Amino acid sequence: MNSMWWPPNKSFAGFAHQALFLLLSTLATFNYVMATLTGPGLMPKQWHPKDPKDAQFLQYCKKCEGYKAPRSHHCRKCDRCVKKMDHHCPWINHCVGWANHAYFTYFLLFSILGSLQGTVVLCCSFWRGIYRYYYLTHGLAHLASVQFTLLSIIMCILGMGLAIGVVIGLSMLLFIQLKTIVNNQTGIEIWIVEKAIYRRYRNADCDDEFLYPYDLGWRANLRLVFNDECQKRGDGIEWPVVEGCDQYTLTREQLAQKEEKRARTRTFKCTRPVTGRWLPIFSQGWRVCVAAPCSDEPRISLRPNDMIKVTRFRNHWLFGERVLSEQELAGVKKRQRKGPIRGWFPRRSAVEVIEAVHEGSGDGNSETPAPAAQNGNAHSHLKQQQRNGHAKKYM
């Protein structure tokens, strides 16, 4: 289309226009390859802080058998802890993090500019192509340079739709990335900060004011990502912080949030088999499938009498971690079950287990777990739970 609409061999402007498109395409491809090959920067397995006393401020990763450095998070897709993890991108088959954040942002920028230029070329070519007969019959033959065939007009229309879609989609993603870079936050840290603010709003006893430690001002924040040395600046483990904070300000907040999360954990007992499928329409019904959580988090398979520690609640789905049996903990291979142990499962397949308090003799009261729905009336108790407002808890 470009060679017909603005031939590069007939004017210097046409040549420069073609060269600009090739340059943008080359830069987008280069940064895409570098973002993929460089990777986000992975934490070494079995990593420990230099000072053993600092381990109390860090979270431990069972998968990597080591501690998570500040701003590091475990990616279940990469199966490794990632330095300054922002998100996992399926298009580069990697996480976006400390080492490749600049390459990924440049890739978005040049892809948008190239697609925007391609949109202009295709739209102008399409306009001239459909008005070719008008130009020829009104003495404007020099404008009738675009000649369509059936295949070329179909490809032109598809190309316009694809280019416009890329511009809109990547522009939104670029805006989000630039916003996080200017504030020196990742997508995960935005959620941590929101929970920190809400935690203090909800708990009147929490007097300490939360200060995000990594916002150094927009100029300094930009220099941390866009610099000549790229990943060579720093090690991705220690970070400059604002006055009044230290390296573990954010990790202490994460530990406090985890502690509150454990405090509101509820135990459920599986009453019917769960397949672990994303849309269990045959085993759970269409209502459960329609209300499935919009998340790429895994679904877990369960067997009757399995115990699950639940931390998130929805009308038709629960999120929790299956309690491993003694044989699984002992490492018996025949007793090991495939699939994840942590994820979503249909709410109708389990009932809550409450702590029944019995008056004992001697040393006082003793607590024994008992199913919340005894006498075989599990289904009615489940409906009663949903009516009592246990459904919508997202923290």
Side-chain angles (χ1 to χ4, degrees), residues 9 37 67 129 150 161 258 280 307 309 323:
N9 57 342
L37 297 181
Y67 288 92
L150 178 61
K258 292 285 186 182
M307 307 298 290
K309 298 292 184 180
V323 179

Side-chain angles (χ1 to χ4, degrees), residues 66-118:
Y67 288 92
K68 300 177 185 178
R71 312 191 78 178
S72 298
H73 303 275
H74 186 87
C75 174
R76 62 178 177 275
K77 299 289 181 63
C78 300
D79 202 28
R80 289 290 298 274
C81 286
V82 177
K83 298 178 181 178
K84 194 192 171 187
M85 178 181 173
D86 185 82
H87 68 283
H88 183 90
C89 178
W91 308 113
I92 65 173
N93 196 30
H94 254 310
C95 284
V96 177
W98 163 69
N100 63 353
H101 206 170
Y103 288 128
F104 182 76
T105 308
Y106 283 134
F107 160 66
L108 295 178
L109 175 63
F110 292 125
S111 297
I112 292 170
L113 294 177
S115 298
L116 187 62
Q117 186 184 12

Side-chain angles (χ1 to χ4, degrees), residues 1-25:
M1 292 297 105
N2 184 69
S3 62
M4 290 189 290
W5 174 62
W6 199 349
N9 57 342
K10 290 188 177 181
S11 65
F12 177 77
F15 173 80
H17 178 265
Q18 180 77 10
L20 177 62
F21 179 77
L22 295 175
L23 177 62
L24 292 174
S25 301

